[in-house]
Amino acid sequence: NETCIRFVSTTKNLGVRIDHHLTFEPQIMPLKKHCLRLLRNVIRRKYLFSKAQLKLIVNSIIVCKLDYCNALYFGISDYLIHQLQLIQNAAAKAIVGLCKHDHLGDTLKDLHWLPISYRIQYKLLLLVYKCLNGMGPDYLGTMFKFANYNHLIYLCSVISERCRSSYNGKQNILTQKFRPVTSVKSATETWTTFCYYPQRLTSTPRE
């Protein structure tokens, strides 16, 4: 055939720029500029909104862009992950009223936001969970199969033993918290709590 195939270094599919080295730098750097531009426009008018309304706006127009197809960012360089984290940090500071060079502190915890690296891991884990339970796309669900090698049993036994040695024989609350996770919502709450507040999972419940 006389069809001419032109090779390019970067292409765009579903709004994501993919380069030939799969570094995703052509996707992340323009995304950073776009999000910071939107954030500056929001900051100029934030006196019109309450904190709850401001958080809703930021989640709707900025954070959602960080989460869009973020499973593709797994394994990229720490530098690009840091660029995405700068966007999230700036959004968090805008909501709570901090200046550009103020220390972020526990602001992400207060907003109940996972850091960028955890958000990427969580998206992958959620996708695997859905595929294994028949809630994911068919073309992905057929790629996953259960392998019974008793790894989970061994892992739970290791966690239990370490918790006993660390907490002087107290009952293992951590494994009790993870064992009843049967839905996406409860998995989300448990994973977020484990990342930010592990002491809540390992403390003895009050009577």
Side-chain angles (χ1 to χ4, degrees):
N1 298 332
E2 297 181 357
T3 304
C4 180
I5 300 177
R6 182 168 58 93
F7 293 94
V8 295
S9 59
T10 304
T11 186
K12 191 173 184 180
N13 187 21
L14 297 177
V16 180
R17 295 180 180 88
I18 304 175
D19 60 291
H20 62 295
H21 291 302
L22 294 180
T23 62
F24 289 98
E25 185 173 356
Q27 164 68 15
I28 292 176
M29 300 312 292
L31 176 65
K32 177 185 176 182
K33 294 180 180 179
H34 179 62
C35 289
L36 293 180
R37 188 184 308 115
L38 290 175
L39 188 60
R40 284 193 293 268
N41 293 334
V42 172
I43 292 175
R44 293 192 188 102
R45 298 167 179 83
K46 71 175 185 177
Y47 64 90
L48 299 173
F49 310 105
S50 64
K51 181 179 178 180
Q53 293 172 334
L54 192 60
K55 181 179 179 181
L56 179 62
I57 293 173
V58 171
N59 273 322
S60 300
I61 66 176
I62 296 177
V63 178
C64 67
K65 297 183 183 300
L66 300 178
D67 290 336
Y68 180 69
C69 291
N70 64 344
L72 296 173
Y73 301 152
F74 184 79
I76 64 175
S77 65
D78 294 338
Y79 170 76
L80 294 177
I81 291 291
H82 179 64
Q83 299 306 308
L84 295 172
Q85 189 62 56
L86 290 177
I87 302 173
Q88 188 185 44
N89 293 349
K93 290 179 180 180
I95 293 176
V96 299
L98 295 176
C99 297
K100 178 180 179 180
H101 299 289
D102 289 343
H103 182 61
L104 191 62
D106 294 333
T107 303
L108 293 180
K109 292 183 181 180
D110 297 336
L111 295 174
H112 214 62
W113 285 359
L114 286 173
I116 293 298
S117 58
Y118 284 135
R119 297 176 87 94
I120 296 173
Q121 295 175 28
Y122 172 73
K123 177 66 74 65
L124 289 172
L125 293 173
L126 180 61
L127 187 59
V128 172
Y129 174 87
K130 287 184 175 181
C131 291
L132 292 177
N133 290 274
M135 296 181 289
D138 293 336
Y139 68 92
L140 288 179
T142 56
M143 299 180 181
F144 291 91
K145 293 182 180 180
F146 284 100
N148 298 320
Y149 296 124
N150 295 327
H151 289 170
L152 183 60
I153 298 175
Y154 173 74
L155 180 61
C156 289
S157 63
V158 171
I159 293 176
S160 300
E161 186 64 29
R162 290 184 179 180
C163 286
R164 288 193 197 98
S165 61
S166 300
Y167 295 97
N168 298 323
K170 292 183 179 179
Q171 190 177 11
N172 185 7
I173 307 300
L174 179 61
T175 54
Q176 287 186 354
K177 289 289 184 179
F178 275 103
R179 192 172 297 147
V181 172
T182 56
S183 65
V184 175
K185 182 179 179 181
S186 59
T188 304
E189 295 173 351
T190 306
W191 173 256
T192 307
T193 305
F194 177 71
C195 292
Y196 277 140
Y197 308 103
Q199 66 275 12
R200 295 184 182 179
L201 296 177
T202 55
S203 58
T204 305
R206 296 179 180 177
E207 296 291 339

